Amino acid sequence: MTLAKLPRNGKVAVLGAGISGLTFTYFLSKLRPDLQFKIFEKSNRAGGWMSSPSLHVKDTNESILLEKGPRTLRGVRDGSLLMIDILRELNLQNQIEVIHKDSVANKKYITDAQGQLIQVPNSIPTFIDFLKNVKAIDLKLVMGIFKEPFVKPVKEDETVEQFFKRRLGSSVLTDNVASAVMHGVYAGDIGKLSIKSVMPAMKEIENESGSLLKHAWKKLIAKNKISKTTTATEGPQLSSELKAYEQTISPKADLLQLQTRLKSFPMIKLHKGMETLPKCLAQYLTANTQTEIKYDTPVEQCDPLTGEVNGEKFDHVRSTISTLALAKIFPPQNSLVQYLASIPYISIFLTNIYTRKPTLIPRNKPGFGFLRPRHENVEDNPQALLGVIYDSDIENYCQGLFDDHKAVPDENNKITLMMGGHYYSNWSIPSDKISLKIVLDVLEEKFQVDVSKFNVKVVPVESELEVDSIKDDDLVVSYSLHTDCIPQYNLGYQETKAKVLDILDKEHYKFSFGGTVFADGVGVPDCVSNSFKDAMKLM
């Protein structure tokens, strides 16, 4: 997508004060200090889906962090490095915590068809146990692996399920393993998600090498050759994007050193919650740049051709809100409306659970948490459970990235349940009362918790997050329904995206897409990377 350069002292409207809108404003304000920004935010806070409220306990004056959205950044991603550098700019480097690759908190699990936890392999013994207990392999798959190098590639897009079944001759891998991965990222259905959209590398490998196994073998041989010929002076390099960032915005960032260091720490979190970054970034922008944030101000009208938002003209409009919301505020005759309204979104019922007793997380299987695969029949998962995160394990094994502080482990248990996603597309979203009953059923069934022995204290997110006290026999439950929170890159998404971006180019719109749709992906690092790349195009 090409973007027109902005005029001197131009005006930019940003729709949404989440991490995407705020980082876009931050990068572009650094590149073009002359520009004026106005951010329209429908709620009374910055952060969007990044929400990190604390539960206040009156008698002890404790504050218990309850992440309601993204809580960790995984892997050495360009967007993660950019976020860390912004945090350093905001003097928040001591907030950055990491988990070592060998930590217990990096153990991950999926459930088998009976709901038992099976560790995702990280060694030969766990790999053998995985194959033994998860139906990740059958006779069809064994035969399919031998035949895979001879399966002809197809250029057309497919669902994730269709792609692997065609290449490997079996759906056992997708049903029992890959579907869990898609639940963790998109809360989506592998029978609908587009392989070109959610796993583009797989399709590229097929088209370039003709076979996944042939490609893996070639890479293994090439890696061995490189290891034998590499000199001591050769090493990892920064991406062109990160090099451009250092050249234009942060010359002293030394992202190569940071990138190298983070290879030992595949998980990153913030001590006071992920909302810390957008909250402080919003304060920085209003204090140090020509930025005004209009809270409690929903966008009621937007014309992407003229750059008009709520009756005010701008030289460029950056949208980070959902396409469903955009379709309602664009002129009805605009050619983009039909495409915007066609993108499906899913909803998630998220529940934080806290207890003083170590009764939730299995003592013999601690870690990051587990994901629930689709398996063969929806009847196998009547609770619409997507996964569970062991928040207290993550917090107990973290350490500072830029200082030497380490967490002081305690016995309290804190977990987050995620339900719904694509399952909610097949039936009406349950009422809060029914969903809470399902949550307690999950605790009984998956965690063997006798809920009858606890005093359940329910704290809806809409209310003030406060309790008088938390006793040993209390089970604190805080829930929230995230409506239309993740777009689904289903079959046909690539064609829709191409048409939308083609219209923006040909008709010279004063408009661009950030956030999770028509950009680079649904992950937080993806959104931040996209913010920088598009800011560079506009400077």
Side-chain angles (χ1 to χ4, degrees):
M1 179 177 64
T2 58
L3 298 175
K5 304 294 183 183
L6 295 174
R8 187 76 184 164
N9 299 318
K11 294 172 60 181
V12 178
V14 178
L15 312 186
I19 191 64
S20 298
L22 294 170
T23 53
F24 173 79
T25 305
Y26 174 82
F27 295 136
L28 191 51
S29 67
K30 288 284 189 180
L31 296 167
R32 291 285 304 274
D34 59 294
L35 297 176
Q36 301 173 52
F37 298 88
K38 184 173 286 190
I39 302 177
F40 296 86
E41 172 54 49
K42 68 178 181 180
S43 73
N44 62 0
R45 52 173 284 275
W49 295 116
M50 279 186 171
S51 177
S52 311
S54 289
L55 175 70
H56 181 236
V57 186
K58 288 183 181 179
D59 67 344
T60 60
N61 202 31
E62 289 175 272
S63 289
I64 301 170
L65 177 65
L66 302 178
E67 287 280 21
K68 297 292 182 181
R71 67 214 49 222
T72 59
L73 305 174
R74 297 194 66 83
V76 183
R77 306 286 298 277
D78 283 4
S80 299
L81 296 174
L82 295 176
M83 292 172 71
I84 289 174
D85 196 58
I86 294 173
L87 286 161
R88 291 191 294 197
E89 170 71 17
L90 301 178
N91 291 319
L92 294 171
Q93 59 269 22
N94 290 340
Q95 282 288 313
I96 305 170
E97 298 178 331
V98 290
I99 310 274
H100 195 272
K101 61 184 179 181
D102 297 328
S103 169
V104 166
N106 263 310
K107 289 184 178 181
K108 294 172 283 292
Y109 305 86
I110 65 172
T111 61
D112 62 16
Q114 289 71 45
Q116 297 301 308
L117 297 186
I118 311 298
Q119 185 178 339
V120 175
N122 63 357
S123 65
I124 293 177
T126 54
F127 180 73
I128 294 172
D129 186 62
F130 186 81
L131 292 180
K132 189 190 306 179
N133 292 285
V134 175
K135 292 181 180 179
I137 192 166
D138 60 7
L139 183 59
K140 285 184 179 180
L141 182 61
V142 173
M143 297 299 293
I145 290 173
F146 284 107
K147 294 177 181 179
E148 196 275 338
F150 306 101
V151 176
K152 291 183 179 180
V154 298
K155 292 185 178 180
E156 295 78 15
D157 197 9
E158 304 168 276
T159 67
V160 175
E161 182 178 37
Q162 289 170 336
F163 175 82
F164 285 106
K165 188 172 183 179
R166 177 176 58 81
R167 293 220 61 86
L168 300 174
S170 171
S171 62
V172 66
L173 191 65
T174 49
D175 283 339
N176 300 325
V177 181
S179 61
V181 177
M182 293 300 110
H183 282 169
V185 180
Y186 298 93
D189 183 356
I190 54 170
K192 295 180 180 179
L193 290 167
S194 151
I195 189 75
K196 281 188 176 180
S197 301
V198 303
M199 302 178 78
M202 288 294 177
K203 200 67 176 176
E204 290 169 8
I205 288 171
E206 181 187 47
N207 292 331
E208 292 173 6
S209 302
S211 162
L212 305 183
L213 293 179
K214 284 181 182 177
H215 177 80
W217 180 249
K218 288 177 183 177
K219 283 204 72 175
L220 182 62
I221 293 174
K223 184 178 180 181
N224 288 334
K225 286 182 178 179
I226 291 172
S227 63
K228 291 177 181 178
T229 59
T230 299
T231 66
T233 57
E234 294 176 328
Q237 298 292 320
L238 286 180
S239 67
S240 58
E241 174 188 324
L242 294 180
K243 288 178 181 177
Y245 175 79
E246 287 191 332
Q247 291 167 1
T248 57
I249 292 180
S250 187
K252 298 180 180 179
D254 196 6
L255 295 181
L256 183 58
Q257 185 273 338
L258 179 60
Q259 178 179 270
T260 302
R261 186 177 182 189
L262 284 176
K263 288 183 178 179
S264 296
F265 303 102
M267 194 180 343
I268 307 164
K269 65 180 287 292
L270 300 185
H271 182 70
K272 292 186 178 180
M274 293 301 289
E275 187 183 1
T276 303
L277 175 54
K279 180 180 177 181
C280 294
L281 187 53
Q283 295 170 351
Y284 171 88
L285 289 171
T286 55
N288 297 279
T289 69
Q290 298 186 76
T291 299
E292 178 185 8
I293 302 179
K294 303 280 289 183
Y295 293 109
D296 296 310
T297 308
V299 179
E300 298 174 347
Q301 170 268 330
C302 176
D303 190 327
L305 270 170
T306 64
E308 185 175 308
V309 177
N310 286 2
E312 186 176 354
K313 286 286 186 72
F314 294 89
D315 296 292
H316 187 81
V317 179
R318 176 71 166 187
S319 174
T320 65
I321 64 177
S322 82
T323 59
L324 300 181
L326 273 181
K328 295 176 182 178
I329 60 176
F330 273 13
Q333 70 278 11
N334 186 276
S335 56
L336 288 179
V337 170
Q338 61 175 316
Y339 301 116
L340 300 178
S342 72
I343 302 296
Y345 282 73
I346 56 86
S347 302
I348 292 177
F349 190 83
L350 185 146
T351 309
N352 304 99
I353 302 172
Y354 179 88
T355 176
R356 299 290 196 199
K357 292 182 178 180
T359 54
L360 300 177
I361 300 172
R363 286 182 176 271
N364 62 333
K365 292 187 177 179
F368 182 79
F370 68 84
L371 293 171
R372 178 79 170 155
R374 183 188 68 178
H375 294 297
E376 296 179 11
N377 303 305
V378 70
E379 290 78 13
D380 291 332
N381 190 5
Q383 302 103 339
L385 181 65
L386 300 168
V388 178
I389 299 171
Y390 299 165
D391 297 295
S392 50
D393 272 4
I394 295 170
E395 293 173 4
N396 282 341
Y397 289 95
C398 64
Q399 63 187 78
L401 178 62
F402 294 111
D403 58 31
D404 58 0
H405 84 265
K406 290 188 177 181
V408 179
D410 60 41
E411 289 291 298
N412 301 332
N413 269 195
K414 180 168 58 172
I415 63 175
T416 301
L417 270 67
M418 296 164 292
M419 304 188 308
H422 69 94
Y423 291 108
Y424 283 171
S425 302
N426 301 320
W427 63 74
S428 299
I429 297 177
S431 66
D432 289 352
K433 183 177 180 179
I434 293 175
S435 292
L436 286 170
K437 171 65 169 60
I438 293 173
V439 167
L440 298 180
D441 288 345
V442 169
L443 291 180
E444 295 265 9
E445 180 183 327
K446 299 292 188 297
F447 294 90
Q448 286 75 54
V449 174
D450 187 351
V451 176
S452 65
K453 294 182 178 180
F454 284 88
N455 173 37
V456 179
K457 292 185 175 181
V458 178
V459 186
V461 73
E462 293 81 9
S463 67
E464 187 174 359
L465 289 178
E466 189 172 70
V467 291
D468 291 331
S469 63
I470 299 179
K471 308 299 183 185
D472 285 348
D473 59 349
D474 285 342
L475 192 71
V476 181
V477 177
S478 174
Y479 69 87
S480 53
L481 176 64
H482 298 284
T483 306
D484 296 336
C485 59
I486 304 177
Q488 297 298 282
Y489 299 168
N490 289 343
L491 204 60
Y493 172 77
Q494 285 293 311
E495 290 77 11
T496 300
K497 180 178 179 179
K499 288 174 183 176
V500 167
L501 298 184
D502 186 58
I503 291 172
L504 292 186
D505 281 344
K506 288 183 177 178
E507 300 187 21
H508 306 292
Y509 277 50
K510 297 181 176 181
F511 191 90
S512 64
F513 288 96
T516 55
V517 182
F518 307 139
D520 290 343
V522 299
V524 173
D526 298 322
C527 295
V528 175
S529 292
N530 180 254
S531 292
F532 174 69
K533 286 188 285 189
D534 281 0
M536 287 288 290
K537 294 175 184 177
L538 287 164
M539 69 174 290

